[in-house]
Amino acid sequence: MVDADQIAIDALGFIASDPDLMKRFLDLTGIEADGIREAAAAPGFFVGVLDFLLANENDVVSFGQASGVPIGSLQAARDKLDAGR
């Protein structure tokens, strides 16, 4: 069973741990760095986090290697979170 919430939290941590990836995420979303915590409370935020990673195959592979999360679980987590909105 996919723990979608944990995968999404881990994905955000992965993004935040890489300055270039974080900059790209902030640029694409328009979120200010100091507004992440507030944004995370919004419905759909974590779907957006997973969409961001899924949009770039290299990011997906890097996340999978760093986290041990199987690549297919990333999409499954995204779909599960989206269904729960």
Side-chain angles (χ1 to χ4, degrees):
M1 186 162 134
V2 173
D3 185 346
D5 293 321
Q6 189 59 56
I7 290 173
I9 291 166
D10 292 347
L12 181 58
F14 173 76
I15 292 166
S17 72
D18 180 323
D20 293 332
L21 197 56
M22 186 65 169
K23 181 180 179 344
R24 187 164 35 104
F25 177 75
L26 295 174
D27 288 347
L28 287 172
T29 62
I31 298 170
E32 297 291 326
D34 60 353
I36 292 272
R37 194 176 301 266
E38 183 179 334
F45 174 79
F46 283 105
V47 171
V49 167
L50 296 178
D51 281 343
F52 172 78
L53 277 182
L54 287 163
N56 184 299
E57 184 177 350
N58 290 331
D59 295 341
V60 171
V61 171
S62 294
F63 173 71
Q65 290 172 342
S67 67
V69 172
I71 291 173
S73 294
L74 195 61
Q75 182 67 51
R78 186 252 176 247
D79 293 345
K80 184 175 180 181
L81 289 174
D82 192 38
R85 281 201 288 172

